Amino acid sequence: MGSLDRNTVIGFIILAVLLFFYLFLASKNSRELQVIKQRELDSLAQVQRVYDSLRKLAEDTMMLSPVEGIDTAAAVMPLTEEFTYLENDLVKIRFTNKGGQPAGVELKHFISSYDSSVVKLSASDFDKFSYPINTGANQAAQVSELYFSGGEVVDNGNAQTISYTYTTPSGEKIVHRFTLEEGKYLIGWDIQMEGADKLLSQGNFNLIWQNRAIQHEKDLKYEKQMSTISYYEDNDFDYIQSKSGRTFEKQIGWVGVAQQFFNTTLIAPNGFTAGNVSWNKNMDDTSNIIANVTANFQTTVPVGATANIPLKIYYGPNDYAILKETAPEMDKIVNLGRDMYAFVRPINKYIVRPIFNFFSGFTGQMGIVIALLTIFIRLLTSPLVYSSYLSGARMKALRPELEKLREKYASDQQQLGMEQMKLYREAGVNPLGGCVPALLQIPIFFALYSFFNSNIDLRGQSFLWADDLSSYDVILKLPFYFWGLGDHLSLFTILAAGTSMMISLYNMNMTPDSGNPALKYMPYIFPVILLFIFNSLPSALTWYYTVSNLITLILQFIIQNYIIDHEKILAKIEENRKKPKTKSKWQERLEEIQRQQQAMQEASKGKKK
């Protein structure tokens, strides 16, 4: 019984301790909740006091006379958001008196492939410009939260202007003046301050820019992949695509949020001295948000009572010609070749783009323009292509002799290689001559890949069964997502892969059998690889590749059957064999390596015996 009483007492003690601990935590949490609730009540009371003071200030300033130093009309601040519009033949811009700034832009001539509405930029609640100012003794506010007066539109003939004014209780004044010219996507933004020495702490102007890029193309993932933050720092263009941000340590001329075909760019003609930009481009996010971007810029305003800060904002397409005239190196937002593919930019800039524009002047059908561009490129490269076909014909003429060598030296690959090189040298044939077209296609393909991906002239242009040459065409919608292919099949891609297979089979028939079984399957493997690579690429590129392949097949047939005289080739080979042979240093070195390898193999066989 005593033991039971002792255990009971210990149990009660433990329960008491646990109960005490629970009550202590509950009491602590209750006190914390009360503190949080009190803070919320204090914040609401503070907001109400500010609201009441602003209303009273507005009522009182209506009673002030002009000699008291405050512009009465400017001092009467509205307390509700009001919208006004500027527009020209290209854009329609909505302005708000809250923060005195743009609140959304419509590009009149562009339709969103995502929802078939007019393309809108910077039209969400997230989008805003702001900077802190001193509104009184030990009081500060963000401009984006202040209500400006004004907002009247002034038409100057070839330009429209809208101005917003904010006046502090002590009389300092801020004016935001925006100017939109006819035929331009660029807005001029002048920030004027009276009493800048009081409005800005130590003359520091700290601008905050928030921008949300939303989907405009039908392929969300591809549009995200193509989107970048581009910038002009220390007189040099650069961009970020996969990184989360960038800190600027040198003068910044402009920063732009660039999507596949549109961009919003803030331009500072006098430059910002420092800043940073960050974004949260989430490739796995399936909403229509491409990215949320936040940028901070700093500059110092000269000490004085007045200050003027000129800025510009570009809302528009990634059009090379327009961007080139907008700001230094802003045309590089259009990706004509970057980073490891920068070598193709001159090809696009000085050859592809001018020829494309030339043909565009004759027809507005972009599919025809691409076909004409393809023919021009093939004519430009035809001398090299002809020499490669001639080399292929020579290789075909040597096929019987190569087969004899392969049978003779079937068990000795080193000796076979040496005899083949000897035969090529005697016949005056370059076994690598047929590789020229393939090598030539590499820079051309990368150049056109960049060009067609970034050329806004192709956006929304239909051709044959493709409704948009800037994106993939869909001939069959798959009921599931297949890795590599996506959820569709592109007919242009199927044609490109099919014609590539025909070329591969033709070339394999023209060249001697190397004896490598793996090479027999290459004509089938390569087109399948192309099918997976090309299926989600712009149909402009796959259409180009299809036309190029068809031209290749036609040229091969004509040259091999009507231009190249195979009897003359055989006679030329026999003539070359009779000539005295001189070896190049490269040939001598190659043969020496082959002899050394053969000697090593023979020595190895001798040891085994």
Side-chain angles (χ1 to χ4, degrees), residues 349-457:
K349 187 175 180 180
Y350 299 111
I351 299 176
V352 176
R353 184 176 174 273
I355 297 301
F356 182 89
N357 291 340
F358 175 77
F359 288 131
S360 298
F362 294 98
T363 175
Q365 180 54 262
M366 290 301 161
I368 302 298
V369 173
I370 293 169
L372 293 174
L373 175 66
T374 309
I375 295 171
F376 172 83
I377 292 173
R378 296 310 305 271
L379 288 174
L380 198 65
T381 59
S382 58
L384 290 175
V385 172
Y386 174 77
S387 65
S388 70
Y389 291 160
L390 187 61
S391 177
R394 289 171 178 169
M395 291 290 291
K396 185 178 181 181
L398 292 177
R399 175 178 289 185
E401 296 184 55
L402 288 169
E403 289 294 336
K404 291 178 182 179
L405 289 176
R406 189 168 292 109
E407 292 176 4
K408 184 177 180 179
Y409 300 103
S411 60
D412 192 343
Q413 292 298 315
Q414 290 293 333
Q415 186 63 32
L416 175 62
M418 292 178 65
E419 293 298 327
Q420 284 179 334
M421 292 299 296
K422 182 180 177 181
L423 177 62
Y424 293 146
R425 188 172 66 254
E426 288 178 351
V429 174
N430 181 6
L432 300 178
C435 298
V436 173
L439 294 175
L440 197 64
Q441 285 288 340
I442 294 174
I444 293 175
F445 173 78
F446 284 124
L448 293 174
Y449 172 80
S450 298
F451 181 77
F452 291 140
N453 258 319
S454 58
N455 190 351
I456 196 167
D457 292 335

Side-chain angles (χ1 to χ4, degrees), residues 35-332:
V35 170
I36 293 172
K37 187 173 181 180
Q38 187 61 44
R39 287 176 182 171
E40 292 177 352
L41 292 173
D42 292 343
S43 299
L44 291 173
Q46 177 66 19
V47 170
Q48 187 64 43
R49 285 196 296 272
V50 171
Y51 179 83
D52 293 340
S53 63
L54 287 173
R55 179 174 292 280
K56 188 173 187 311
L57 175 64
E59 293 172 353
D60 292 344
T61 50
M62 294 181 67
M63 306 298 294
L64 297 176
S65 62
V67 298
E68 292 184 79
I70 298 179
D71 184 348
T72 305
V76 181
M77 300 298 172
L79 296 176
T80 57
E81 189 169 17
E82 300 172 353
F83 298 102
T84 311
Y85 292 86
L86 289 185
E87 63 179 302
N88 58 20
D89 55 326
L90 300 177
V91 296
K92 181 177 182 180
I93 307 169
R94 184 173 73 160
F95 288 87
T96 175
N97 63 326
K98 187 177 181 182
Q101 59 185 281
V105 179
E106 293 183 3
L107 305 184
K108 294 183 176 181
H109 300 302
F110 296 97
I111 301 299
S112 172
S113 301
Y114 167 65
D115 59 7
S116 300
S117 64
V118 176
V119 169
K120 298 180 180 65
L121 301 175
S122 302
S124 72
D125 293 337
F126 180 81
D127 295 272
K128 67 178 65 174
F129 294 95
S130 191
Y131 55 90
I133 61 167
N134 300 317
T135 56
N138 299 320
Q139 292 183 344
Q142 287 288 340
V143 164
S144 60
E145 300 304 317
L146 301 176
Y147 288 91
F148 283 59
S149 63
E152 293 79 18
V153 177
V154 177
D155 193 337
N156 300 316
N158 63 342
Q160 294 179 335
T161 301
I162 187 170
S163 297
Y164 289 97
T165 302
Y166 178 82
T167 305
T168 68
S170 54
E172 290 80 33
K173 184 184 296 184
I174 300 173
V175 177
H176 287 180
R177 180 173 290 110
F178 299 91
T179 302
L180 176 64
E181 297 181 20
E182 284 296 323
K184 289 192 176 183
Y185 294 97
L186 189 67
I187 305 171
W189 178 17
D190 288 318
I191 302 175
Q192 299 173 352
M193 297 183 182
E194 294 181 12
D197 50 344
K198 296 179 180 178
L199 289 167
L200 302 177
S201 299
Q202 300 178 345
N204 294 323
F205 179 74
N206 301 310
L207 182 65
I208 304 168
W209 176 34
Q210 293 180 188
N211 181 263
R212 172 173 290 169
I214 63 171
Q215 181 181 0
H216 296 304
E217 314 308 321
K218 67 179 181 181
D219 191 334
L220 172 64
K221 190 172 183 179
Y222 197 70
E223 187 177 3
K224 282 187 177 183
Q225 183 182 333
M226 295 292 105
S227 297
T228 65
I229 295 176
S230 300
Y231 55 89
Y232 187 64
E233 181 185 15
D234 194 28
N235 298 320
D236 190 27
F237 169 85
D238 208 344
Y239 72 101
I240 58 176
Q241 189 167 20
S242 56
K243 295 180 180 179
S244 60
R246 163 80 179 181
T247 298
F248 305 112
E249 298 177 352
K250 298 179 180 179
Q251 190 176 52
I252 310 149
W254 54 262
V255 173
V257 180
Q259 296 171 238
Q260 186 176 1
F261 292 114
F262 305 98
N263 79 86
T264 303
T265 300
L266 176 65
I267 304 168
N270 295 340
F272 293 111
T273 55
N276 62 76
V277 62
S278 62
W279 64 345
N280 60 344
K281 184 172 71 169
N282 184 357
M283 295 299 294
D284 297 323
D285 183 10
T286 57
S287 71
N288 71 327
I289 298 176
I290 301 294
N292 288 325
V293 182
T294 301
N296 297 274
F297 305 103
Q298 295 85 45
T299 191
T300 302
V301 175
V303 177
T306 61
N308 182 50
I309 304 170
L311 299 172
K312 296 178 181 179
I313 315 171
Y314 178 86
Y315 299 102
N318 296 342
D319 186 296
Y320 180 90
I322 295 174
L323 297 182
K324 190 174 179 62
E325 301 299 323
T326 300
E329 294 199 19
M330 199 168 161
D331 56 283
K332 289 187 176 180

